Amino acid sequence: MKIVDVEAIWLRVPALDQPCEWGEDALIVRIHTDTGLVGIGETDSSPAVVKALIETPASHETCQGLRDLLIGENPLEIDRLWKKMYRQSEYMGRRGAAIHAISALDIALWDIAGQHYGVPVHTLLGGKYRTRIAAYGTFIPRPDEAGNRELVRGLLAQGLRSIKLGGAGFGEDLRKDRELLRVVREEIGDDVQLQIDLVGRWRNYPHALAQCEALREFKLNWIEEPLPSDDTRGLAHLAERSGLRVSGGEGLATRHEFRHFLEASRPAIIQPDITRCGGISEMRHIYELAQLHGAQLVPHGFSTGILLAATVHFLAASEFGELIEYSQSDSPLFRGLVKNLLPLEDGHVAVPDTPGLGVVLDEALIERYRVRP
Ligand SMILES: [Mg+2]
């Protein structure tokens, strides 16, 4: 079997000159083979940048477009192809967008392998530990109390027993933050997990510690990215002295960044995004690092049903992969791009047993939202 083509498809709901919010654009890839098998992947990144990294012609030995590197190769040799892409894109890669592009292609290669061998990806990864995965729901707070109560009730009605809020200025005004958390905790009671996402908004370690003290009564399950991920000293102090579990890492890529993060910031939870950290292959290395450091891995995931499926297969095959993020986005790219989107049922996502990733794309939706620059 040989790779004969690699497509980088940019999808976007709003027009290019209109603002785009979370979940309203996507970069998906399709790897075509000479046997007719097609692998599907995606990255939650800047679509135009990733598309260029895939399609660019070669400049140097270590500055090559990823599409050209894959054409003619056997798609089943995933580890060798990952390292080939990593090394031969080194001048413009190693971290960030180039790893995002490699992530999408890696996911598509695993999809091909699963289809080729007639088994789900989780079988290729060593076998599933569970048939369903508990989910937590992420939401962006509304400006009013009634709206937030309604939103939280909607989450509980889906069977969720773990929720997270962040964005819309959360973390900027302690009085408003406390009021919001009071309302949410009142709605969910004591038994539902509640976590908050600061998106690196708190100013520095002393400020963050004071915020943690002021929010202690709300019994937070974790605090996500309380400080920017480069503030390793502040994050380590917070991990040590706040008495709360600190999480982060959704913007980090490769085992190398995660090793540094684990050693320097000492988070209780790391949150790699499978479409950014290096794909399914690299996620496995990052998972093992987390185990060695006594940290939990709870993946970040807020894009299309392709990301969701890749994350489900990975977690199913991970001994402690017990919690998944489930997007509450109503973007058509989340709700409709994958026709057989893995649903949330009683707060859980069932692990599929169809070959490969098992995702079927809506071709009409792709045509509708495809950007042709
Ligand atoms: Mg986050």
Side-chain angles (χ1 to χ4, degrees):
M1 183 163 50
K2 279 193 167 46
I3 296 171
V4 293
D5 196 12
V6 178
E7 281 182 280
I9 301 167
W10 177 3
L11 302 174
R12 184 179 172 99
V13 178
L16 278 176
D17 60 351
Q18 297 297 311
C20 186
E21 292 183 358
W22 292 358
E24 288 185 300
D25 69 354
L27 189 288
I28 66 173
V29 299
R30 278 198 285 224
I31 298 181
H32 298 263
T33 65
D34 61 355
T35 63
L37 289 183
V38 178
I40 295 166
E42 83 155 311
T43 177
D44 181 3
S45 182
S46 166
V49 173
V50 169
K51 192 171 164 62
L53 283 157
I54 292 172
E55 294 175 351
T56 189
S59 292
H60 298 270
E61 175 67 21
T62 45
C63 199
Q64 300 197 34
L66 302 175
R67 178 179 184 274
D68 287 351
L69 291 174
L70 290 179
I71 297 226
E73 291 281 9
N74 178 352
L76 301 177
E77 299 181 6
I78 302 174
D79 189 61
R80 185 176 65 75
L81 294 180
W82 199 101
K83 289 195 172 73
K84 182 184 184 188
M85 290 190 283
Y86 183 71
R87 291 194 178 130
Q88 296 193 238
S89 64
E90 185 177 346
Y91 281 4
M92 81 276 202
R94 290 183 65 249
R95 303 290 184 269
I99 303 298
H100 303 167
I102 291 173
S103 305
L105 297 166
D106 176 85
I107 291 168
L109 291 174
W110 281 99
D111 186 24
I112 291 172
Q115 293 177 61
H116 175 77
Y117 294 116
V119 295
V121 168
H122 58 70
T123 299
L124 293 181
L125 297 176
K128 66 181 176 192
Y129 286 88
R130 55 194 63 78
T131 56
R132 62 179 203 157
I133 303 166
Y136 79 84
T138 301
F139 71 100
I140 299 166
R142 292 183 187 161
D144 61 302
E145 179 179 328
N148 283 314
R149 286 188 188 276
E150 186 194 338
L151 214 161
V152 170
R153 279 179 207 151
L155 296 174
L156 297 181
Q158 297 176 64
L160 293 166
R161 307 295 292 159
S162 183
I163 65 174
K164 182 175 89 185
L165 65 89
F170 183 80
E172 283 168 6
D173 181 330
L174 182 60
R175 193 189 56 78
K176 282 190 197 161
D177 295 346
R178 282 179 50 86
E179 184 52 24
L180 173 63
L181 289 173
R182 187 188 65 74
V183 165
V184 173
R185 190 45 99 185
E186 203 172 281
E187 282 295 328
I188 66 178
D190 286 337
D191 296 336
V192 172
Q193 293 177 344
L194 174 59
Q195 37 271 3
I196 57 172
D197 188 351
L198 284 313
V199 203
R201 226 178 226 112
W202 286 344
R203 282 169 234 164
N204 50 37
Y205 161 64
H207 174 71
L209 188 64
Q211 304 289 304
C212 288
E213 289 302 330
L215 302 179
R216 191 167 302 284
E217 67 190 271
F218 302 110
K219 300 185 179 64
L220 299 170
N221 183 39
W222 76 64
I223 51 169
E224 181 167 324
E225 297 197 310
L227 297 168
S229 57
D230 287 330
D231 186 358
T232 51
R233 194 200 296 250
L235 286 166
H237 283 325
L238 214 52
E240 207 169 280
R241 287 165 215 173
S242 69
L244 290 166
R245 299 201 298 166
V246 176
S247 76
E250 67 186 66
L252 303 182
T254 75
R255 72 197 82 171
H256 310 293
E257 283 196 341
F258 276 95
R259 184 180 65 177
H260 176 67
F261 183 53
L262 284 159
E263 288 174 355
S265 302
R266 301 204 296 280
I269 298 164
I270 59 168
Q271 298 166 294
D273 184 312
I274 204 160
T275 74
R276 282 199 287 263
C277 72
I280 294 169
S281 299
E282 195 66 7
M283 190 73 138
R284 300 174 85 190
H285 298 300
I286 294 166
Y287 174 84
E288 293 304 331
L289 272 177
Q291 296 310 307
L292 292 174
H293 287 80
Q296 191 184 348
L297 188 154
V298 181
H300 175 267
F302 206 87
S303 188
T304 80
I306 303 170
L307 174 151
L308 178 63
T311 306
V312 166
H313 281 275
F314 165 76
L315 284 176
S318 302
E319 188 176 6
F320 304 111
E322 290 154 345
L323 187 62
I324 190 167
E325 179 168 23
Y326 198 93
S327 171
Q328 295 295 313
S329 167
D330 49 18
S331 165
L333 297 185
F334 178 62
R335 297 288 160 194
L337 173 65
V338 169
K339 286 208 262 187
N340 54 344
L341 177 73
L342 295 171
L344 189 59
E345 294 167 323
D346 190 25
H348 291 74
V349 184
V351 176
D353 287 322
T354 39
L357 287 179
V359 299
V360 179
L361 301 181
D362 182 336
E363 298 299 332
L365 186 141
I366 290 174
E367 281 315 304
R368 182 165 174 202
Y369 296 116
R370 188 166 188 165
V371 179
R372 295 184 188 274

